[in-house]
Amino acid sequence: MQQNPSPSEPIVSLRDVQKSFGALRVLDGVSFAVERGEVLALIGRSGSGKSTALRCIDRFEKVDGGEIVVCGHRVDRPDVDLRALRQDVGIVFQSYNLFPHLTIEQNITLAPCAVKGMAASQARDLARKVLAQVGLEEKLHAYPEQLSGGQQQRAAIARSLAMQPKVMLFDEVTSALDPELTAEVLKVIEQLAADGMTMVMVTHEMGFAKGIADRIVFMHRGKVHETGPASILTSPTTPELMQFVGTGNLKS
Amino acid sequence: MSLQLDFPAVLERWPSFLAGAALTLELAAFATVLGALLGTLAAVGRGTHNALISGACKVYVEAIRNTPLLVQIFLVYFGLASLGLKLSAFTVAVAALTINVGAYTAEIMRAGFEAIPRGQIEAAEGLALSRLQIYWHIILLPAVEKVYPALTSQFVLLMLASSICSQISAEELTAVANYIQSDTYRAFETYIIVAVLYVILSLIMRAGFWGLGLVLFPRRRRLGTPL
């Protein structure tokens, strides 16, 4: 299995992906690709399948059909090396999911030490570095419960960054935050995009998607309904996207 | 009718009391460590997808929780003897108490495992941790922290219940007391002393668990909040 795809190959590609939960068809032939350094925003109504599509990339959901290739890993195959895949893919969740019994530093150093066999002192340096990236150096020795929601989410992003992933997935990472805390998390993600990180994000922040995404994928009833550059948010071609952005609050 | 208590006549047997108390503590220590291991394994086993293992663990837990400890002790005592195994009363007592407390520990640990949110495990999987690493860092240690008060109560209860082992002549505190009171005819005084000694043993165990908790759960030591 090829681990390092050539620069021309997409980092993530989904082709005709099918997924059902029982009788409910959640993904009905979804295809899209993410190039190296690209920021892709998955948008759509609740239940449109965007979160499921994102979770399929990191194989938190198994697909029923179609092909998913992520950093050279054939994710749709049953014999995919999950741990190798997940070293290449970072994922950040809506509910942060920091480990409550560990300090922020321990949250960050756990995987590099346990998975990559990194020396403890080296991992601590790394923790300082990634925390600086998200503006939380002073919280190194704090426990998650001592942080605000926005700080916890930034710490979760730092934890993911410490594994030096080739692509980052964001699953509605600001949905549990108020506007002020949302802004501080979005600033961190913006900086990551500026640094050239490849990202796929499920978001309800239309203004943010418009500002940061290289490409928008609008999902509707388990299908990619409309896709294109961020400008499709201001000039949608399908009535569904028109209605969606019309009801969403489109901040500039 | 007047109550006359003669403690000196009983207290002069203090070396025997002390030896009995020490043996009770030793029994409890062995059964606590072994029972914690057995119970944790049974809780893990009950959560596996293997129906045979999961079923066996369930049968074990239910069989123990629905029979008296004294009967379990006799079953181990006479059962091992009829298999031709000549074991000391102490070994039999440790085995029976371990089997007993293991079943209760399994139920407590199962509650702890189930209290770990699914998102914690997904986050760990997303960081490429192995199954064993996830079990150790993300499930077991936080689960133990969650149920620690229930676990320690169970182990103190086990120490108190070990008095039943006097029935198979393990020389623990209650057995010593039975012996002394039949020797001195000072039953009331003897059991008052024994009761006080059990209280002291309980306090020793609780202090030990409190200290262990400080070492095991640094977050609680710093913040004092339950997980």
Side-chain angles (χ1 to χ4, degrees):
Chain A
M1 193 175 290
Q2 198 185 355
Q3 300 290 317
N4 292 304
S6 62
S8 60
E9 260 179 79
I11 298 271
V12 175
S13 89
L14 280 76
R15 205 180 307 161
D16 194 28
V17 169
Q18 314 275 341
K19 172 75 187 171
S20 299
F21 292 121
L24 184 69
R25 177 159 284 198
V26 190
L27 300 180
D28 190 3
V30 170
S31 303
F32 60 79
V34 188
E35 306 296 331
R36 184 182 298 271
E38 197 180 21
V39 177
L40 184 126
L42 280 170
I43 62 168
R45 286 196 187 82
S46 300
S48 60
K50 57 193 189 308
S51 267
T52 305
L54 187 87
R55 289 169 58 82
C56 285
I57 296 173
D58 211 4
R59 211 168 190 261
F60 281 113
E61 309 292 349
K62 283 180 204 161
V63 297
D64 301 330
E67 185 189 280
I68 303 183
V69 184
V70 179
C71 303
H73 305 282
R74 277 295 299 267
V75 180
D76 52 295
R77 290 201 179 141
D79 63 348
V80 61
D81 183 346
L82 275 182
R83 295 189 64 201
L85 166 72
R86 286 164 179 172
Q87 286 188 52
D88 287 340
V89 181
I91 184 162
V92 183
F93 304 90
Q94 179 181 341
S95 49
Y96 336 132
N97 297 343
L98 290 171
F99 306 127
H101 59 297
L102 302 178
T103 63
I104 299 304
E105 182 182 54
Q106 291 166 334
N107 263 277
I108 295 171
T109 56
L110 176 62
C113 291
V115 178
K116 293 184 169 175
M118 189 180 281
S121 61
Q122 201 187 342
R124 281 196 295 271
D125 290 342
L126 176 64
R128 248 171 240 115
K129 196 185 120 213
V130 291
L131 274 180
Q133 248 180 298
V134 301
L136 282 178
E137 305 96 306
E138 78 283 3
K139 298 297 182 187
L140 197 64
H141 300 295
Y143 282 95
E145 66 184 276
Q146 296 174 297
L147 271 54
S148 72
Q151 290 173 332
Q152 287 192 47
Q153 194 57 292
R154 282 149 63 199
I157 292 172
R159 180 174 70 177
S160 246
L161 286 175
M163 287 298 278
Q164 288 156 331
K166 298 192 176 99
V167 53
M168 292 273 284
L169 311 178
F170 294 92
D171 191 2
E172 295 190 34
V173 293
T174 59
S175 296
L177 302 172
D178 69 33
E180 199 180 343
L181 298 181
T182 296
E184 66 178 51
V185 171
L186 295 186
K187 220 177 93 190
V188 166
I189 299 176
E190 255 167 30
Q191 187 55 52
L192 281 179
D195 293 345
M197 176 63 81
T198 311
M199 299 194 275
V200 183
M201 57 178 70
V202 169
T203 184
H204 288 294
E205 300 286 330
M206 287 308 125
F208 177 67
K210 190 167 153 264
I212 193 179
D214 299 307
R215 218 144 45 80
I216 305 280
V217 167
F218 172 63
M219 291 193 58
H220 184 66
R221 295 188 175 166
K223 290 185 200 290
V224 175
H225 199 74
E226 188 170 344
T227 179
S231 59
I232 64 165
L233 289 177
T234 37
S235 47
T237 55
T238 61
E240 286 80 10
L241 181 55
M242 218 174 286
Q243 197 192 350
F244 181 70
V245 294
T247 52
N249 54 334
L250 190 59
K251 289 173 268 181
S252 57
Chain B
M1 201 169 74
S2 68
L3 178 64
Q4 287 199 321
L5 293 175
D6 182 7
F7 280 107
V10 178
L11 276 175
E12 68 182 16
R13 300 293 197 89
W14 66 266
S16 300
F17 279 118
L18 214 57
L23 199 87
T24 289
L25 207 53
E26 206 180 325
L27 265 180
F30 273 106
T32 294
V33 172
L34 296 174
L37 287 174
L38 178 66
T40 304
L41 285 177
V44 172
R46 187 145 178 199
T48 61
H49 295 297
N50 184 318
L52 199 69
I53 295 174
S54 158
C57 292
K58 187 173 178 182
V59 167
Y60 158 61
V61 168
E62 293 309 320
I64 297 301
R65 292 202 312 153
N66 293 293
T67 50
L69 175 57
L70 184 58
V71 173
Q72 292 163 17
I73 290 173
F74 282 148
L75 279 174
V76 174
Y77 188 61
F78 294 116
L80 291 178
S82 66
L83 289 174
L85 278 168
K86 278 279 171 206
L87 297 172
S88 69
F90 180 81
T91 311
V92 171
V94 168
L97 291 174
T98 296
I99 291 168
N100 179 268
V101 82
Y104 291 94
T105 302
E107 283 299 89
I108 295 171
M109 287 304 298
R110 193 161 67 98
F113 290 159
E114 281 171 8
I116 303 296
R118 177 76 205 138
Q120 289 282 304
I121 295 159
E122 280 196 349
E125 286 172 346
L127 290 166
L129 293 173
S130 70
R131 278 186 64 174
L132 206 64
Q133 288 166 342
I134 293 173
Y135 237 112
W136 178 256
H137 292 288
I138 309 307
I139 300 179
L140 187 61
L141 292 179
V144 169
E145 181 170 356
K146 281 178 201 291
V147 299
Y148 195 63
L151 272 182
T152 56
S153 298
Q154 192 62 50
F155 294 137
V156 171
L157 269 176
L158 157 87
M159 186 275 291
L160 297 176
S162 73
S163 71
I164 290 180
C165 296
S166 59
Q167 292 297 308
I168 55 166
S169 60
E171 295 292 318
E172 47 69 63
L173 186 52
T174 302
V176 168
N178 294 344
Y179 190 68
I180 291 174
Q181 66 90 14
S182 66
D183 222 25
T184 59
Y185 300 103
R186 290 282 170 194
F188 194 32
E189 292 90 331
T190 302
Y191 287 111
I192 288 173
I193 290 166
V194 162
V196 170
L197 284 173
Y198 273 114
V199 170
I200 292 169
L201 289 181
S202 293
L203 293 176
I204 289 172
M205 278 186 81
R206 285 181 193 281
F209 285 127
W210 179 78
L212 184 63
L214 290 185
V215 176
L216 286 179
F217 315 122
R219 191 196 59 91
R220 183 173 291 209
R221 183 172 70 226
R222 256 182 56 196
L223 305 183
T225 45
L227 203 60

